[in-house]
Amino acid sequence: MDALFTEAFIGALLFGAVTAGVPLLLAGLGEQISEKAGVLNIGIEGMMLVGAYVGFTVAYYSESFFWGFLAGGIAGAAVAAIMVVLCVYASMNQIVVGIGITLAAEGMTALEHHYEFSRSYPRLGKTETWPIPGLSDLPYVGNAFFNHSPLVYFGVVLTFVLVWLFRRTHVGLNLQAAGDKPAALDAAGVSVATTRALAVLSTGFLAGLGGAYLSSVAGGLFLPFMTGGAGFIAIVLAMLARGKPTWVLLGAFLFGASLSLTTAMQVAGINVPTDIIQMLPFAMVILVLVAFGRNSRLPPALGLPYRRGER
Amino acid sequence: MNQSQAGAIAGSAVRVLLPVLLALVAGGLILLALGADPIAYYGYVVQRGLLSPTGLEGSITRMAPLLLIAAGLIVAFRAGLWNLGVDGQYLLATVVVAALAPVLAPLVPSWLMIPICLAVAFAVGAAWSVIPAFLKAVHGINEIISTLMMSFLGVSLANILIKIVFNDTTTTVPQTETLAVEDRLSRLGDSTVHWGVILAVLAVIGVHYLMGHTALGLRLQIIGSNPRTAIHAGLNVKRLTFIAFALSAGLAGVGGAIDVIGVQGNVRADYNPAYGILVIPLVFLARFNGFGVIAFVFFFAVLMIGGESAARRVGVPNFFVLVLVALLLTFLALVEYLDHERRQKRAA
C-alpha cells in the first residue's frame, strides 16, 4: 500500500484529475449558461464530439494546438447554431433536437474520421505547456496543477469571470430572466430569442473547446465516440451546481479525479477492471442525486420554448 | 369517405413521406461529398435489406427487439417521462437472460423456460428504472439525466457480469454460455424469422390499446399532458410514475431477452447494440402512435440490415445510418414547424 502515497502516485492522480476534468469544466460552464437562459442543451455531447474531431484534425494538419482549439470551439458553436435555429427560433422540442444533434455528430465524426484517416489513428506530438514560474516546482502539486496547456488556465479564469458576469452584470441578469421568467424579459424590452441564441452559441463554443482539449491534449488522438458521455456528465454538473460556476469547477475536478483513478492505479501497480472504474463517475452522479437531489434547482422555464403572448 | 377526410389523410402522408424523402436526398448529398456513390449505396440497401429473401427475413427478425423497446417508449413518452436509459435496461436484461437460459433449458420444458426468461427480463429492466422513478416521483429530479446515468452504469455493469460472473470458461473471448439452437425460439414456417417478432408486434399494438382505451392509459396520459391536472384529479402521481417507468423499462428488457433466446444465443463482452438511442427518434417520428411505430421500425430495420451489407460492399461505414436517422428527425421537425406556422397564418 505504500505505493499509494508516493509522490509519483499522487502527482499522477492529481495531474490526471485536472486533465480529465477540464473538458467537463468547459462543457459544464457552457451548459450552465444555456440552462440559466432556459435551454436544456442535450446536444452538448454532439457539440463536444464535433469539437474533438475538428480540433484534432486542425491541430494535426496545422501543427498548432492554438488553431486546433480555436477551430474546435468554432465547430462546436456551428453545431450550436443548428440548435439555435431549430429550438430558439422554430420553438422545436429541445430534447428531440438535442438527441438528433448528438446522433448526427456521432455518425458524422465517425464517418469523416473513416474517410480522412481510414483505419490509422495518428497521434499529436507532446502538448505545449505553460509552466507557471515558481509554483510549478512545488512538490506533489506543482506539476499537477501548474504545468498545463494554456486552455486549463483559461477554464479556471473563465469560472471566475462567469461568477462576476452572472452576479454583477446586465448580461447575467438577462440570462437569468430568460430562464426564470422569459415574459418579464420580453416586457423589459430585451429579446428572449437573442439572449437564448447567444447563450446556446457560447455553450457550443465552450463544449467544442472542451472536446478539442479532450482529443488533442488529454488523448493525443481522435477516436470515434470518444466523448463517451462526458457531455451528459457536464449536464449533471450544471444541474447540481445550481447556477454557481465555482461548483462546476469543484465538481469537474472531482469527476476528473474519479476518471483519472485508472491511470493512477496502474502507476501504483494495482489492477482494477476498467469496467468498474468506468462506472465510478456515473455511480457518483446517482449517489449524489439520491443524497442531495432535493437541492438541485433548475430554472422554471427550462426546456420550454418562448412564444410571445402564450401562457 | 368525404373529401376533407381524404385530404387530411393525404396531408398526414405528405407530412411523413416528405421528411423521409428530404433525409434520403440530404444523406445522398453527404455521401457524394465524402466521395461515395449514393445511388449504389441506396441500391444496395434496398437490395440487401428488402428485396433479397434472406435480407428481408433478417430485417423482420431485427424488428423484434426494436419494437419491444419502442413499445416501452410509447408508454413512457405518452406519460410525459423521458426514459432515455433504455440501453442500460435492455443490456442488463439481455445479459441476465443469456446467463439464465442455458442453465434453465435442460431443466424445464421450453413452454415454461421462455415465459420465465421473459418475466425475469421484464423484472431486471424494471428494476433498473426504480432509482430514476424514485428521484422523479419523490425529489422531482429531471429523469433525462438520471436515466442516462443509469444507462451508462447498466452498460458497464452488464460487462462486469459477463467478464466476471457469467463468463463461459470454455471460450477464449469473455462471453456467456451459449443457448443450444434447438432451445431457441422456434421459426415461422421455412423462414429464419422466429415467433418473437409476432410477440413484439402484439406488444406494440397492446401498448397502443392500453394507452388509448384503458383507465390506466388515460391516467398515464394525464400525468403526461398536465401533471397539475393529475394532482387536482386526485391521481396518485407517484405511483403512476413508478408504473410508467417499470412498464417502459420492463418492455425494453423483454426486447433484449427475445433477441438472446431468439437469435444471439449468448452475449459477448463489450456487446452494446445501443438500439435505444436510435429507437427514440423513431417513436417520435411516429408521434407515439403504435401503428406508425411498426412502419418506422420496419423502415429502419431495412436500413440497418441493408446498411450492414452496403458497408462491406460499397465501403460506407454503418455510422451513416446514425446520420440518416438524425436527418430524418430534423426534417420531420422542420416540416411540422412549417405546417404549424401555415395553419396559424390561416387561422389569423
Side-chain angles (χ1 to χ4, degrees), chain A residues 47 76-89 92 97 101 104 200-201, chain B residues 330:
Chain A
M47 295 169 195
V79 177
I82 301 173
M83 184 151 198
V84 167
V85 172
L86 295 181
C87 294
V88 177
Y89 290 102
M92 286 179 198
V97 172
I101 283 180
V200 174
L201 286 177
Chain B
T330 315

Side-chain angles (χ1 to χ4, degrees), chain A residues 244-281:
Chain A
K244 295 192 183 73
T246 43
W247 286 31
V248 177
L249 179 70
L250 183 72
F253 180 71
L254 286 178
F255 272 104
S258 79
L259 284 171
S260 85
L261 215 55
T262 336
T263 355
M265 292 269 203
Q266 278 160 359
V267 171
I270 302 166
N271 208 0
V272 180
T274 45
D275 292 298
I276 293 180
I277 301 287
Q278 275 170 4
M279 286 175 78
L280 274 179

Side-chain angles (χ1 to χ4, degrees), chain A residues 125-171:
Chain A
K126 203 186 164 331
T127 321
E128 325 153 21
T129 57
W130 285 2
I132 294 182
L135 292 173
S136 63
D137 297 327
L138 291 171
Y140 292 97
V141 294
N143 193 49
F145 289 118
F146 304 109
N147 189 11
H148 277 283
S149 159
L151 201 58
V152 174
Y153 311 128
F154 169 77
V156 177
V157 171
L158 181 70
T159 308
F160 294 98
V161 170
L162 286 180
V163 170
W164 170 78
L165 192 83
F166 289 160
R167 276 237 203 104
R168 306 262 172 213
T169 67
H170 273 289
V171 179

Side-chain angles (χ1 to χ4, degrees), chain A residues 90 92 96 110 235-236 275 279, chain B residues 144-145 156 163 284 319 333 337:
Chain A
M92 286 179 198
V96 179
I235 297 175
V236 174
D275 292 298
M279 286 175 78
Chain B
I144 296 170
I145 306 303
S156 294
K163 286 176 189 164
F284 261 98
F319 308 128
Y337 168 71

